[in-house]
Amino acid sequence: MRRPHPHVPAPGPSSTPLFTRSLLRALFAGLLAAGGLVALAPAAPAATARQMEALDRGVVSVHTDSGNLVSWRWLATDPDDVAFNVYRAGTKVNSSPITGSTNYFHSGAPSQADYTVRAVVNGVEQTDSVHAVQFRTGYKDVPITPPAGGTTPDGVAYTYEANDASVGDLDGDGALDFVLKWNPTNAKDNSQSGYTGNTVIDGIKLDGTRLWRIDLGRNIRSGAHYTQFQVYDYDGDGRAEVAMKTADATVDGVGTTIGSASADYRNSSGYVLSGPEYLTMFNGLTGAAMATVDYVPARGTVSSWGDSYGNRVDRFLAGTAYLDGARPSLIMARGYYTRTVIAAWDWRGGAFTRRWTFDTNSSTNTGKGYDGQGSHSLSIGDVDSDGKDEIVYGAMAVDDNGSGLWTTKTGHGDAQHLGDLDPANPGLEYFKVSESTSQPAELYIDPANGQILWQLASCGCDNGRGVAGDIYAGNDGAEVWSASDSYIRDEAGATKGREPSSVNFLSWWDGDTTRELLDGTHIDKYGTSADTRLLTGASVHSNNSTKATPSLSGDILGDWREEVVWPTTDNTALRIYSTPYETGTRITTLLHDSQYRTALAWQNTAYNQPPHPSFFIGNGMATAPRPLIYTP
């Protein structure tokens, strides 16, 4: 039996009556301050209200040959019927308040035009928003400075490349800032021996101001599977924290060394298979280490994870989940080929508290088939509609209380997607691919209970990539496809047309609600006979080798469409692209949908995957729901 849709809670003591939701929304509307920020947060939010960021309008102006597309955020804390006016240098440019979208095309305007937006609430115009971020040449550059290169103990020289990024409001001003990982050019996959340079993490404002730099040190090996960093406001103080695995000789953003500065646990193959391992929470504003605890789980005996040389023991995943339904918790995990351990942490009052630990070696899970089921990523969402988040970890899921929820026993895979893929069916759906040549190539799963709704027979190969999203308006709901298939398929597994040109990432980019294809350094529109190029990034590079992913892609500025962030080829800037296409669709900023927001937080984890909201966006979609949130 399918479960109730997460936006229509099933009756029960944890459900919020509709009159309460209306009352809360009215309260939030009354608390609107300049720029749309909420000045106060309710002392005791309703059980279904989730703590989210207090954001500014995120106004952007994207210049084209014909003028400027101005777009901005519709916040979840805005009234449902809020309208907007657009001002250029204090002069209103729209003829009547804008109600059907959150963008306005100002024809003929120059690239340097200065815009603000004013909300109109109950007929009363509010004060100016922040000034628009100007994309004068179609993109916005955020200056960055690579760390100095070096030489490994075996004499190999290396430099640095900008790699994965995340976002969070590090200083509490309502604007999102970047947290950027710098990888040395000799970064390694776990299966590869050899020394690497240090991994370096920067906190950077949108104007390029570097707030801090953290050097993880010689005892954290560099590569896609070693450092998964989470950026989120875990304690609700209005500023994001940064969490990651650390070790002796990690130097925080204020120059303080964690543990021993001289310790060197690297073996002759470059692996770090001994010495203490830590979990550290860093201050998002200063980069200072606020608390450090032992990493859970400890590596123990290396060979117990599946090999003796260090490949499987150091496979890490990370995420953020609303395990109590209201406030975010940190998820840190180790292992997926054999043993898997997932630890959930709360960060409150300047201290870590471990909420629970899921361990496939535990007696409560022995024989249940949870070992060896992880993917190179994870997904987080409320799969059973109880108002709390679960962790979908490859071919298995862990409930909000840390107990095993289900396992399909179909093994490891490289890609997975959790979202409302089938709008005709209440709740979420889940699509994944399999690496094992003896397992189904594709699986379409009910994530509430792990029921396999349909599957494709094994391709006899490592099916390394798979995607789910509504890219084709000729089908109801999202399509799915994979590297081993020749078609896109619908929610029943039926073929619906040719496979697109890429099996990688997605982006809501143009004016309609179907999603576009993001691959390497370009964006394409799916077509039944061929794909159409919409954007090619100028002088930028993708990351993570054959995965060819951007530093970040998601709704980080402007309206609900998604920005794409690539590093420039010389690694001196993060180049942000924002859509130049006008849309008539109005959707609350996806940053206030907690499933989407946490997906942005875990996007950098191992093999990066695109974010999916908790509701369906696509052709013929219903009116998008309004999230119920509160802000610090």
Side-chain angles (χ1 to χ4, degrees):
M1 177 181 294
R2 296 306 294 253
R3 60 275 177 217
H5 196 282
H7 296 289
V8 185
S14 64
S15 300
T16 302
L18 293 179
F19 76 85
T20 306
R21 294 171 62 89
S22 300
L23 186 62
L24 282 169
R25 288 232 172 89
L27 173 62
F28 292 148
L31 291 174
L32 283 173
L37 295 181
V38 172
L40 299 172
T48 52
R50 293 195 171 193
Q51 173 197 306
M52 301 296 289
E53 291 153 311
L55 299 169
D56 63 24
R57 284 279 168 227
V59 186
V60 297
S61 172
V62 181
H63 185 64
T64 72
D65 291 340
S66 303
N68 297 324
L69 179 69
V70 184
S71 70
W72 58 93
R73 296 175 180 135
W74 181 24
L75 303 169
T77 47
D78 288 326
D80 292 354
D81 59 355
V82 66
F84 298 96
N85 289 324
V86 178
Y87 284 79
R88 176 188 172 189
T91 300
K92 188 169 73 169
V93 297
N94 56 299
S95 58
S96 58
I98 299 166
T99 59
S101 67
T102 49
N103 64 182
Y104 177 81
F105 191 80
H106 192 198
S107 181
S111 63
Q112 70 273 18
D114 179 30
Y115 296 98
T116 58
V117 172
R118 299 178 189 175
V120 180
V121 179
N122 296 325
V124 178
E125 189 175 73
Q126 309 297 298
T127 56
D128 266 334
S129 69
V130 294
H131 290 259
V133 177
Q134 295 176 339
F135 289 64
R136 295 188 179 187
T137 55
Y139 57 77
K140 162 74 176 175
D141 276 356
V142 178
I144 56 177
T145 303
T151 304
T152 58
D154 56 355
V156 177
Y158 60 88
T159 56
Y160 278 91
E161 295 178 333
N163 189 250
D164 296 335
S166 192
V167 288
D169 185 358
L170 301 178
D171 56 5
D173 65 354
L176 294 180
D177 309 297
F178 285 106
V179 175
L180 172 67
K181 179 171 76 169
W182 290 96
N183 263 3
T185 49
N186 59 358
K188 306 290 185 185
D189 184 84
N190 297 46
S191 62
Q192 301 168 338
S193 62
Y195 292 95
T196 74
N198 298 359
T199 300
V200 175
I201 310 290
D202 283 352
I204 307 165
K205 291 185 66 64
L206 195 60
D207 64 4
T209 300
R210 193 172 77 207
L211 297 174
W212 43 262
R213 170 166 283 175
I214 295 168
D215 186 339
L216 290 179
R218 67 181 73 87
N219 296 308
I220 296 289
R221 204 163 183 251
S222 292
H225 305 287
Y226 292 102
T227 294
Q228 328 302 345
F229 58 98
Q230 291 296 287
V231 183
Y232 220 85
D233 181 6
Y234 290 104
D235 58 7
D237 67 351
R239 291 190 287 110
E241 292 80 43
V242 182
M244 65 190 105
K245 182 176 178 285
T246 58
D248 281 350
T250 293
V251 179
D252 74 4
V254 297
T256 301
T257 301
I258 294 173
S260 168
S262 60
D264 188 345
Y265 300 108
R266 295 172 295 182
N267 66 22
S268 59
S269 297
Y271 287 98
V272 181
L273 303 180
S274 62
E277 302 175 288
Y278 308 124
L279 172 63
T280 299
M281 188 67 77
F282 295 92
N283 186 297
L285 178 61
T286 66
M290 296 187 290
T292 295
V293 296
D294 289 337
Y295 191 86
V296 176
R299 68 170 69 84
T301 302
V302 171
S303 59
S304 69
W305 295 86
D307 62 68
S308 59
Y309 70 99
N311 179 11
R312 289 168 173 79
V313 68
D314 278 356
R315 299 280 179 157
F316 300 101
L317 300 180
T320 297
Y322 289 78
L323 299 175
D324 66 359
R327 301 187 68 184
S329 298
L330 173 67
I331 304 298
M332 299 298 282
R334 182 178 216 145
Y336 39 76
Y337 288 125
T338 51
R339 180 188 179 194
T340 288
V341 183
I342 304 172
W345 299 87
D346 289 341
W347 174 254
R348 311 281 188 262
F352 280 112
T353 302
R354 187 148 38 114
R355 179 180 281 267
W356 48 254
T357 303
F358 173 90
D359 189 342
T360 56
N361 278 5
S362 168
S363 59
T364 59
N365 294 310
T366 298
K368 292 184 178 180
Y370 284 90
D371 56 313
Q373 301 304 309
S375 288
H376 286 299
S377 185
L378 50 70
S379 298
I380 289 169
D382 180 10
V383 302
D384 55 8
S385 301
D386 65 353
K388 302 174 184 180
D389 285 346
E390 284 72 45
I391 297 96
V392 182
Y393 200 91
M396 62 176 240
V398 176
D399 207 353
D400 56 83
N401 61 7
S403 62
L405 185 63
W406 53 259
T407 172
T408 64
K409 302 183 182 181
T410 53
H412 168 74
D414 283 7
Q416 59 181 56
H417 299 266
L418 177 72
D420 189 358
L421 307 180
D422 180 5
N425 240 342
L428 304 176
E429 289 77 37
Y430 179 54
F431 175 73
K432 73 174 292 289
V433 295
S434 296
E435 179 174 301
S436 172
T437 58
S438 63
Q439 295 292 351
E442 300 178 11
L443 299 106
Y444 196 88
I445 297 167
D446 181 347
N449 53 26
Q451 178 187 0
I452 298 173
L453 302 176
W454 61 264
Q455 62 186 42
L456 293 187
S458 171
C459 59
C461 63
D462 174 355
N463 193 15
R465 300 296 277 176
V467 186
D470 186 17
I471 60 168
Y472 173 44
N475 172 56
D476 294 332
E479 296 75 50
V480 300
W481 65 102
S482 75
S484 72
D485 202 359
S486 300
Y487 304 97
I488 56 172
R489 296 178 182 271
D490 66 12
E491 68 282 355
T495 59
K496 287 294 181 178
R498 55 170 283 273
E499 187 179 45
S501 57
S502 67
V503 191
N504 194 6
F505 240 66
L506 298 168
S507 175
W508 280 294
W509 182 253
D510 64 6
D512 61 38
T513 53
T514 56
R515 217 167 182 185
E516 281 64 58
L517 305 163
L518 169 58
D519 183 44
T521 58
H522 54 263
I523 295 175
D524 294 331
K525 184 75 170 177
Y526 176 78
T528 54
S529 58
D531 300 335
T532 302
R533 184 64 42 87
L534 299 182
L535 173 72
T536 299
S539 301
V540 295
H541 71 79
S542 61
N543 292 322
N544 305 315
S545 185
T546 59
K547 304 309 174 187
T549 49
S551 288
L552 185 71
S553 179
D555 176 18
I556 60 174
L557 287 165
D559 62 27
W560 58 274
R561 270 88 57 81
E562 295 175 300
E563 282 66 46
V564 184
V565 183
W566 288 292
T568 55
T569 51
D570 60 4
N571 294 293
T572 61
L574 290 177
R575 184 157 288 174
I576 311 172
Y577 282 87
S578 189
T579 181
Y581 296 96
E582 195 171 6
T583 183
T585 300
R586 177 159 123 156
I587 299 175
T588 307
T589 176
L590 298 182
L591 291 166
H592 278 169
D593 179 83
S594 62
Q595 179 171 314
Y596 185 92
R597 182 65 186 88
T598 56
L600 281 188
W602 58 250
Q603 186 179 129
N604 67 77
T605 294
Y607 290 174
N608 306 12
Q609 303 295 325
H612 298 282
S614 63
F615 60 95
F616 175 74
I617 300 178
N619 185 61
M621 64 179 287
T623 300
R626 307 267 356 256
L628 183 59
I629 71 166
Y630 73 98
T631 60

